[in-house]
């Protein structure tokens, strides 16, 4: 299967640069897989498509302000460090810029010396291992000095960093937002709960590999990045009860989907589990748990559009994307949403 099979034409002006004033005002394209139909709604209408007894599964990860702008200690030249993975003991795997200037031994200073980072090593993939030194509380320093690591296709400055968080973000650790969840408001979640729709929380810390282009020619050659996940006993039991009672499991986003399917690989019913997953879902995959999917519109030739194409099929998904372009939907992180049932 060729990566180019998942390409589509997207006018640049349809890439959403800013969030809407109200999260749930985004548009919602509803794909009915049985009837092969497309319906155009707004996200706030999603309550009409979820039934009592269904289970909505959300990813409660929280994006950290992982983009640090500083200067090289020896030259004063500008330097940037993007936090990827916490390796413990103040050591982080990172992306750096400019890479050729930041070799092992280089020291980067942030906030007039409040924080310093020393490059200790280079990974096989070219990332840098950076050891940080500081006084005080790491989370407070990061909140003060860091910026939200917006995707490269967003060029506008984010006015309110909370708009790149879901309203239920709890566990800090992501380098990118689980964007399908950005459409929910507290009021909409309450409305769903009042309708007897179960809401299960899991955590998957989203890595920047989400935005990295697929550089191989065939899908099967691609190696997925790994991301840390946790599925609690409470969430597993809620999902199991839903399935036993004949309800549907609706995953909010590709991150929730990948976590659920990773957990299901250990057998059903689901059990509490945690660890690192590099599951790659593309057409031909048989879903074990997920009955419905809420997701945004994804980049051409990305692993995300491949996952969506596995859930429906490539032809119908690409046809839906063509319709979205014609109907002037907003694309990517701050864009509109799609519901597949």
């Amino acid at each position: 299967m060729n990566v180019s099979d998942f390409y589509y034409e997207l006018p640049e002006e349809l890439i959403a640069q800013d969030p809407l004033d109200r999260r749930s005002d985004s548009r919602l394209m509803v794909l009915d897989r049985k009837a092969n139909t497309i319906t155009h709604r707004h996200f706030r209408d999603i309550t009409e498509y979820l039934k009592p007894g269904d289970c909505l599964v959300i990813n409660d990860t929280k994006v950290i302000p992982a983009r640090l702008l500083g200067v090289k200690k020896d030259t004063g030249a500008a330097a940037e460090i993007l936090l990827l993975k916490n390796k413990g003991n103040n050591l982080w795997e990172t992306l750096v810029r400019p890479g050729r200037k930041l070799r092992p031994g280089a020291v980067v200073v942030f906030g007039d010396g409040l924080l310093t980072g020393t490059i200790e090593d280079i990974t096989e993939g070219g990332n840098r291992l950076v050891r940080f030194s500081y006084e005080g509380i790491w989370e407070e320093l990061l909140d003060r000095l860091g910026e939200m690591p917006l995707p490269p296709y967003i060029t506008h400055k984010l006015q309110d960093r909370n708009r790149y968080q879901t309203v239920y973000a709890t566990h800090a650790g992501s380098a990118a937002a689980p964007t399908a969840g950005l459409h929910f408001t507290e009021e909409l979640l309450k409305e769903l709960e009042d309708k007897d729709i179960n809401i299960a929380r899991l955590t998957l810390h989203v890595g920047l590999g989400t935005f990295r282009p697929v550089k191989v020619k065939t899908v099967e050659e691609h190696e997925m990045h790994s991301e840390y996940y946790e599925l609690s006993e409470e969430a597993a039991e809620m999902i199991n009860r839903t399935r036993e009672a004949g309800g549907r499991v609706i995953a909010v986003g590709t991150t929730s989907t990948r976590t659920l399917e990773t957990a299901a690989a250990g057998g059903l019913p689901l059990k509490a589990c945690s660890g690192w997953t590099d599951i790659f879902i593309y057409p031909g995959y048989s879903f074990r748990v997920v009955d419905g999917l809420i997701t945004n519109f994804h980049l051409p030739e990305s692993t995300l559009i491949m996952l969506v194409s596995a859930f429906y099929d490539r032809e119908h998904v690409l046809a839906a994307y063509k319709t979205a372009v014609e109907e002037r939907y907003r694309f990517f992180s701050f864009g509109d949403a799609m519901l597949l049932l």
Side-chain angles (χ1 to χ4, degrees):
M1 190 182 310
N2 293 323
V3 171
S4 59
D5 292 340
F6 298 89
Y7 178 78
Y8 67 92
E9 293 282 350
L10 178 67
E12 189 174 342
E13 68 268 17
L14 294 185
I15 299 174
Q17 293 295 323
D18 303 288
L20 297 178
D21 290 340
R22 183 168 173 80
R23 295 170 184 262
S24 59
D25 282 348
S26 53
R27 297 170 72 187
L28 178 69
M29 176 182 283
V30 182
L31 302 188
D32 185 322
R33 295 183 294 163
K34 291 182 181 177
N36 288 329
T37 58
I38 294 176
T39 307
H40 303 291
R41 305 294 300 271
H42 285 90
F43 196 83
R44 58 181 175 270
D45 303 324
I46 202 162
T47 54
E48 299 177 27
Y49 293 91
L50 303 184
K51 304 173 184 176
D54 285 346
C55 183
L56 190 73
V57 183
I58 60 178
N59 180 7
D60 64 6
T61 187
K62 188 174 184 178
V63 185
I64 61 173
R67 185 170 178 243
L68 292 165
L69 303 177
V71 296
K72 283 192 68 184
K73 186 176 181 180
D74 57 351
T75 66
E80 178 180 335
I81 292 180
L82 192 60
L83 306 176
L84 296 181
K85 289 181 184 176
N86 187 349
K87 312 290 279 188
N89 198 26
N90 296 325
L91 184 69
W92 283 78
E93 183 175 342
T94 72
L95 291 175
V96 301
R97 186 187 299 173
R100 57 190 176 82
K101 300 282 188 178
L102 296 174
R103 313 297 295 178
V107 177
V108 183
V109 180
F110 307 94
D112 295 325
L114 290 174
L115 177 68
T116 61
T118 302
I119 315 294
E120 290 200 347
D121 203 355
I122 302 177
T123 69
E124 283 187 15
N127 294 345
R128 303 299 195 269
L129 295 179
V130 179
R131 181 89 58 185
F132 289 97
S133 301
Y134 56 92
E135 291 185 5
I137 300 172
W138 168 255
E139 289 79 11
E140 291 181 358
L141 265 179
L142 198 59
D143 192 55
R144 178 176 173 182
L145 300 176
E147 295 184 1
M148 282 300 193
L150 294 178
Y153 48 75
I154 293 178
T155 58
H156 291 190
K157 184 174 178 60
L158 184 63
Q159 300 303 315
D160 178 4
R161 65 167 59 179
N162 286 326
R163 292 307 308 273
Y164 197 56
Q165 302 279 19
T166 62
V167 297
Y168 45 77
T170 305
H171 299 107
S174 274
T179 55
L182 295 178
H183 307 281
F184 285 97
T185 62
E186 296 282 6
E187 295 80 8
L188 190 53
L189 290 169
K190 178 69 164 55
E191 190 176 341
L192 291 170
E193 288 181 326
D194 289 345
K195 195 177 175 181
D196 292 327
I197 292 160
N198 301 307
I199 299 179
R201 291 171 171 249
L202 51 74
T203 304
L204 181 138
H205 293 319
V206 187
L208 284 181
T210 297
F211 304 115
R212 284 181 176 160
V214 178
K215 295 182 178 179
V216 292
K217 289 187 177 181
T218 63
V219 172
E220 294 81 0
E221 291 178 87
H222 180 66
E223 292 186 11
M224 285 289 286
H225 58 288
S226 63
E227 296 167 316
Y228 181 78
Y229 74 93
E230 291 183 1
L231 177 68
S232 68
E233 184 174 343
E234 178 185 4
E237 288 179 356
M238 182 182 289
I239 294 164
N240 290 334
R241 287 197 305 270
T242 297
R243 289 170 52 82
E244 289 166 5
R248 300 173 300 176
V249 177
I250 314 296
V252 178
T254 58
T255 60
S256 295
T257 301
R258 293 177 64 240
T259 302
L260 289 171
E261 294 299 315
T262 295
L268 296 173
L270 293 176
K271 300 178 180 64
C273 54
S274 64
W276 293 85
T277 180
D278 60 358
I279 188 171
F280 183 15
I281 297 175
Y282 54 87
Y285 179 87
S286 296
F287 287 82
R288 298 176 173 91
V289 179
V290 177
D291 303 304
L293 172 62
I294 298 169
T295 188
N296 279 20
F297 292 90
H298 303 295
L299 276 74
E301 300 183 338
S302 65
T303 60
L304 306 179
I305 195 173
M306 293 173 193
L307 183 152
V308 178
S309 297
F311 192 71
Y312 196 174
D313 63 62
R314 186 183 67 88
E315 291 76 14
H316 280 101
V317 168
L318 289 179
Y321 271 61
K322 184 174 184 292
T323 299
V325 170
E326 293 168 351
E327 295 291 329
R328 310 296 289 178
Y329 274 69
R330 301 165 73 248
F331 279 68
F332 306 162
S333 294
F334 288 139
D336 295 316
M338 176 185 285
L339 169 64
L340 299 98
L341 290 172

